[in-house]
Amino acid sequence: MDIKGKIVTLRAMEEDDQELLRQMVNDPEIEKMVGGYSFPISKFQQSKWFERNSNDQNNIRLIIETQEDGAVGFANIVNIDWKNRTAFHGIKIANKKFRARGIGADTVMAVMRYAFEELQLTRLDGTIIEYNEPSRKLYCDKCGWKVEGIRRNAVFKSNEYHDEIIVGILREEYFELLKKNNYWNKQDVQ
């Protein structure tokens, strides 16, 4: 099942997507903006990662597509805790030319719709490096997520430590956001 937004379609990863994913991991500009660490990834390593992760019910990994551009990025719902109904979410947009066009906001809204309305999760969590202002604006200003805390000096990038902002959204906050903004109209999604 594809997940539809207003302008994006989120679909399962295919073997053909591996080069896009490998390029994103190997792009220093993209990796600087996300937490964790990364090593240069070969085609072989990317292929093995895909084999390990392509059929995992606790970690959903999706390709972001637009009709005019094709595959433009990656979104996930990972570390799903089915008992407590929680998960972690993040996105990566592959190229600067795809940013500031509403793709990120539509992706986050479509992920929340799927997580809260289909999977019946009760909360989504995320983290943002302190200097990643575009992500903070996307999640907190546009998509209703709340800052829940700060992990001081939690991320080491560019030879220094940075704070990590902990963000989250509850199922009821998502539904309040929908009412307030009238986000999903019948004609908006298929």
Side-chain angles (χ1 to χ4, degrees):
M1 168 181 100
D2 289 342
I3 301 164
K4 299 283 188 174
K6 290 180 178 181
I7 58 175
V8 301
T9 298
L10 308 178
R11 61 163 176 79
M13 291 186 306
E14 299 289 348
E15 201 159 334
D16 293 349
D17 299 317
Q18 296 319 295
E19 186 56 27
L20 172 70
L21 295 172
R22 189 177 77 82
Q23 287 173 2
M24 285 192 296
V25 169
N26 287 333
D27 184 332
E29 186 179 315
I30 293 173
E31 283 307 304
K32 179 183 175 192
M33 301 305 274
V34 297
Y37 58 91
S38 156
F39 300 104
I41 301 294
S42 69
K43 289 181 182 181
F44 177 77
Q45 290 168 312
Q46 182 64 45
S47 174
K48 290 297 180 193
W49 178 87
F50 175 72
E51 287 175 19
R52 282 191 314 273
N53 291 288
S54 60
N55 194 21
D56 181 350
Q57 299 304 310
N58 295 320
N59 296 289
I60 301 168
R61 293 172 172 93
L62 304 159
I63 296 298
I64 304 166
E65 285 186 335
T66 67
Q67 189 151 9
E68 67 182 61
D69 301 306
V72 299
F74 174 80
N76 65 23
I77 305 170
V78 294
N79 302 327
I80 299 173
D81 178 340
W82 294 107
K83 178 186 180 292
N84 294 305
R85 314 304 291 177
T86 64
F88 185 91
H89 163 63
I91 68 170
K92 289 182 185 178
I93 304 295
N95 188 307
K96 278 185 177 179
K97 72 180 182 179
F98 301 129
R99 298 179 196 150
R101 290 182 22 201
I103 292 171
D106 195 43
T107 297
V108 174
M109 292 301 294
V111 164
M112 289 192 300
R113 183 170 166 220
Y114 181 68
F116 296 133
E117 296 184 33
E118 294 296 324
L119 300 180
Q120 294 296 300
L121 298 181
T122 192
R123 72 173 284 128
L124 287 172
D125 298 306
T127 58
I128 302 168
I129 295 177
E130 64 184 336
Y131 57 75
N132 189 342
E133 191 61 19
S135 284
R136 193 205 57 75
K137 286 180 180 178
L138 168 64
Y139 281 93
C140 298
D141 296 350
K142 295 178 184 174
C143 295
W145 292 51
K146 307 278 190 265
V147 173
E148 296 182 336
I150 295 176
R151 293 182 63 225
R152 297 172 298 139
N153 285 344
V155 178
F156 188 75
K157 295 274 183 180
S158 302
N159 202 32
E160 61 184 300
Y161 287 95
H162 301 277
D163 292 350
E164 181 177 61
I165 302 167
I166 300 166
V167 296
I169 188 165
L170 303 177
R171 187 173 194 272
E172 57 265 22
E173 292 169 337
Y174 162 75
F175 285 110
E176 289 169 16
L177 180 68
L178 292 184
K179 278 186 204 169
K180 180 180 163 189
N181 296 331
N182 195 24
Y183 193 80
W184 299 116
N185 296 318
K186 294 266 188 231
Q187 67 272 16
D188 290 336
V189 292
Q190 300 169 354

